[in-house]
Amino acid sequence: MSAADFPTLTASTIAARVREGTTAPADIVRASFARARGVGAGRDALNIVLWSDEDAAVKEAETLTTQLSGASRGGVLAGVPIAVKDNICTLGLPTTCASKILAGYVSAYEATAVTRLREKGAIVVSKTNCDEFAMGSSTENSAYGPTRNPIDIRRVPGGSSGGSAAAVAAGLVPIALGSETGGSVRQPAAFCGIVGAKPTYGRISRYGLVAFASSLDHISAFARNVDDAALALEVMAGVDPHDSTSADIPVPSYREQFVSRATVEAPLTGVTVGVPREYFPESLDAGIRNLCDRSLEHLRELGATVREVSLPHTSLAIPVYYIVAPAEASSNLARFDGVRYGARLSSADGLRGMYDATRSAGFGPEVTRRILLGTYVLSAGYYDAYYKKAQAVRALITRDFTTVFADGIDVLFTPTTPTTAFPIGSVTDPYEMYLSDIFTVTANLAGIPAMSMPIGRVDGLPVGGQLIAGHFAEPKMFRVAYALEQALGDEAHR
Ligand code: GLN
């Protein structure tokens, strides 16, 4: 492997070379750090990486090498460097959620998802920048400054998992972890021209993911192609005694579904793709619409039947999400009180004063807004009007999806976002920012798997196509995504 080669290698290629013994994990890890330096991934430039420790990562790679020379040939991710969003607990590196309130915090345990990847040979090389506590759609809400989109450094990479998306897009790692509460992996994947996949709620343990809105939170993955995204999800999936909401349902092989059909002429024969009209409003950008049409044409050529459907409650998803998510956040973030974790500011006014001083200085403006909003909608007198009503409408949004999937639709195809990546600093109204999540929050509200994949460019900027499937139908979602990726070829980036 040459250093120039590294940024184009997929996770499965790296692992295959490591298992064959032709490439040493330590060389891969060094190449990842060299690439990070080469593209300026640090604080003063792209601002992708918040925390990393090259010596420790190289040492871990060397330990892996000694294990490989034993009886075991190594796991499916042997020697694969991965980046992890800063709201997912890792050992040895800080977990700050890009917030001042958790400055310097190093967790005493590791997220189950990270453990599972490491058990298969992956090596954590960095913690990545994100919106503070994953609240945002642009990574501009980080206490450590915005991440820049590697495709166009004047623009945002999307958010909240913008650092992880940029890490993959800039060639630092083939796989990175993000979290999804309302599109925070699919939207940045679309903006950065890569793949981002969210599983069914409960499919991957949330243990070690710092809670934002527990009924909506998912650990999810970025990759350069569909195969690596499927591989990452497959390795992380499965029941976990540390997360009572994790599903005790066997995990099928996601990759076998498409690998076995790779040479079939019309691999999507028998598959019905639904196109929900609410995701293609009159006002949709013409360039994005054309790219979606091109993808749908490919899907037909691949043998799929394409049918228009309706998800009538779609327009209510943003108001519902921005009630439910802040409500849960206001409760979850109560634990950051200056006593148990991270920063503490002393005050002359005793304990109460310490709480006030710590939380006022520790949380940034967007997190503060969410806590206020969430506390309001949960308070006596408003609970029924807002929170309870939002939960009822959430059930209707979920039912929209279960109805179309029960009616013969295998997967839905939509644009991931209404626009391409916007310039840093250009969206200042919080409500306008919330609207950029319009096509992505629905799958979190319903708890169904969804992913974004590159389907082309408008004015040089990447556009994502979204595939959504029913509960635990990840194999179908990946099967369609893989076939479309093969059919698009280079078109995906033109
Ligand atoms: N943009 C949404 C928000 O700000 C979603 C964030 C996420 O998925 N973590 O809440």
Side-chain angles (χ1 to χ4, degrees):
M1 182 202 66
S2 73
D5 204 16
F6 169 76
T8 62
L9 298 180
T10 62
S12 56
T13 307
I14 292 173
R17 291 189 189 176
V18 166
R19 290 200 307 250
E20 283 159 9
T22 51
T23 302
D27 290 339
I28 298 276
V29 167
R30 284 193 200 96
S32 170
F33 279 91
R35 177 72 180 174
R37 282 189 292 274
V39 299
R43 289 282 177 84
D44 49 347
L46 292 175
N47 201 17
I48 293 171
V49 175
L50 290 183
W51 325 112
S52 64
D53 182 341
E54 182 164 359
D55 291 343
V58 168
K59 207 167 277 164
E60 191 170 335
E62 281 163 353
T63 308
L64 184 72
T65 305
T66 54
Q67 289 164 356
L68 290 177
S69 48
S72 124
R73 287 171 51 244
V76 285
L77 293 172
V80 173
I82 58 166
V84 177
K85 185 178 183 180
D86 198 34
N87 66 346
I88 299 174
C89 292
T90 47
L91 296 171
L93 291 174
T95 299
T96 73
C97 300
S99 179
K100 279 192 275 183
I101 208 159
L102 280 174
Y105 174 72
V106 181
S107 83
Y109 64 97
E110 177 176 75
T112 301
V114 174
T115 305
R116 290 196 175 157
L117 293 169
R118 290 181 57 235
E119 279 169 1
K120 297 291 182 199
I123 296 162
V124 176
V125 292
S126 58
K127 298 299 285 289
T128 58
N129 201 7
C130 55
D131 285 300
E132 185 178 4
F133 283 101
M135 296 175 190
S137 312
S138 66
T139 314
E140 293 169 290
N141 296 335
S142 167
Y144 304 100
T147 295
R148 293 174 177 279
N149 189 323
I151 309 284
D152 177 348
I153 61 165
R154 292 162 303 181
R155 292 175 189 270
V156 303
S160 62
S161 315
S164 283
V168 172
L172 275 50
V173 285
I175 289 174
L177 296 193
S179 69
E180 275 246 4
T181 305
S184 273
V185 164
R186 284 164 289 151
Q187 187 254 24
F191 281 9
C192 292
I194 58 170
V195 175
K198 174 188 102 57
T200 304
Y201 182 80
R203 182 76 290 188
I204 293 176
S205 168
R206 288 182 293 114
Y207 181 71
L209 168 64
V210 178
F212 165 4
S214 308
S215 77
L216 297 160
D217 292 344
H218 303 64
I219 287 183
S220 307
F222 294 100
R224 233 173 273 130
N225 66 15
V226 174
D227 186 32
D228 274 1
L231 173 62
L233 257 53
E234 197 175 299
V235 168
M236 291 188 285
V239 68
D240 174 15
H242 293 305
D243 175 4
S244 60
T245 63
S246 67
D248 193 1
I249 298 174
V251 183
S253 165
Y254 299 155
R255 305 171 73 210
E256 236 168 56
Q257 286 284 329
F258 50 77
V259 171
S260 62
R261 289 188 177 88
T263 52
V264 175
E265 198 173 322
L268 298 185
T269 302
V271 171
T272 304
V273 176
V275 181
R277 67 176 74 99
E278 292 80 4
Y279 287 67
F280 293 85
E282 284 293 314
S283 56
L284 183 66
D285 178 276
I288 293 178
R289 180 189 301 272
N290 289 341
L291 292 176
C292 287
D293 286 344
R294 180 171 76 179
S295 283
L296 288 167
E297 200 43 52
H298 279 301
L299 291 171
R300 284 190 200 93
E301 281 162 14
L302 290 162
T305 304
V306 175
R307 171 149 53 100
E308 187 179 284
V309 296
S310 175
L311 300 165
H313 297 93
T314 301
S315 66
L316 300 172
I318 289 288
V320 167
Y321 173 83
Y322 280 95
I323 290 172
V324 175
E328 294 186 22
S330 73
S331 163
N332 273 325
L333 269 60
R335 60 168 66 84
F336 302 105
D337 55 6
V339 177
R340 286 169 286 190
Y341 309 88
R344 173 184 306 172
L345 266 73
S346 54
S347 155
D349 293 334
L351 183 65
R352 182 66 200 260
M354 186 279 288
Y355 286 159
D356 287 352
T358 301
R359 287 171 67 85
S360 299
F363 290 133
E366 183 60 26
V367 175
T368 305
R369 180 179 299 117
R370 304 286 178 106
I371 292 172
L372 290 172
L373 200 64
T375 307
Y376 178 81
V377 300
L378 288 177
S379 54
Y382 297 102
Y383 179 88
D384 285 358
Y386 294 109
Y387 186 71
K388 215 169 147 200
K389 178 74 81 39
Q391 290 291 22
V393 179
R394 178 180 184 177
L396 296 176
I397 291 168
T398 307
R399 206 177 62 192
D400 281 357
F401 283 111
T402 47
T403 303
V404 295
F405 292 127
D407 190 30
I409 297 296
D410 295 299
V411 296
L412 295 161
F413 180 84
T414 79
T416 308
T417 54
T419 68
T420 51
F422 42 86
I424 291 174
S426 66
V427 179
T428 49
D429 173 9
Y431 192 66
E432 192 187 335
M433 188 70 87
Y434 299 169
L435 284 174
S436 65
D437 301 333
I438 188 145
F439 300 150
T440 40
V441 294
T442 45
N444 295 75
L445 290 166
I448 49 180
M451 65 187 287
S452 179
M453 58 186 288
I455 59 165
R457 293 196 178 195
V458 171
D459 297 333
L461 296 171
V463 170
Q466 177 172 231
L467 294 165
I468 307 174
H471 290 106
F472 298 99
E474 282 88 350
K476 269 188 199 170
M477 175 178 82
F478 283 123
R479 179 183 161 192
V480 175
Y482 183 83
L484 179 58
E485 179 183 61
Q486 300 302 306
L488 281 167
D490 293 345
E491 277 174 25
H493 301 285
R494 286 198 256 119

